[in-house]
Amino acid sequence: EGERLGKKATGVIKSFNERTNYGFIECKELADIYGRDTFVHGKEFKGHYVGEKVNFTVYLGPKGQPQAFNVEKEQPHWEKK
């Protein structure tokens, strides 16, 4: 776990490799800043699927790359409390 940005972001789970236990979330806003998709570890991926729109908290990994934590299914705005 790296530096917590405390920033919330929204993206779409782009890929997940069960063998390596990690994948990536596509988030244009973060890709514009960091030049890459956001890393997601298997423990954060659990219960989600490729193609799902999700909200997450952004951390920076040891190499300054964005990582997703607290990944949650995005709720349509009319369902938000």
Side-chain angles (χ1 to χ4, degrees), residues 53-55 72-81:
K53 195 165 188 181
V54 292
N55 295 323
E72 301 174 327
K73 177 184 172 104
E74 185 185 49
Q75 298 297 317
H77 65 278
W78 62 86
E79 290 183 21
K80 288 182 181 170
K81 294 185 169 109

Side-chain angles (χ1 to χ4, degrees), residues 28-69:
K28 182 176 178 350
E29 179 187 0
L30 294 173
D32 286 349
I33 297 168
Y34 299 103
R36 61 181 60 244
D37 289 324
T38 302
F39 175 89
V40 61
H41 188 274
K43 67 183 179 200
E44 297 294 330
F45 181 81
K46 201 173 199 126
H48 298 287
Y49 58 89
V50 172
E52 181 181 20
K53 195 165 188 181
V54 292
N55 295 323
F56 56 94
T57 302
V58 183
Y59 286 74
L60 285 185
K63 297 177 184 169
Q65 299 166 346
Q67 294 188 21
F69 286 87

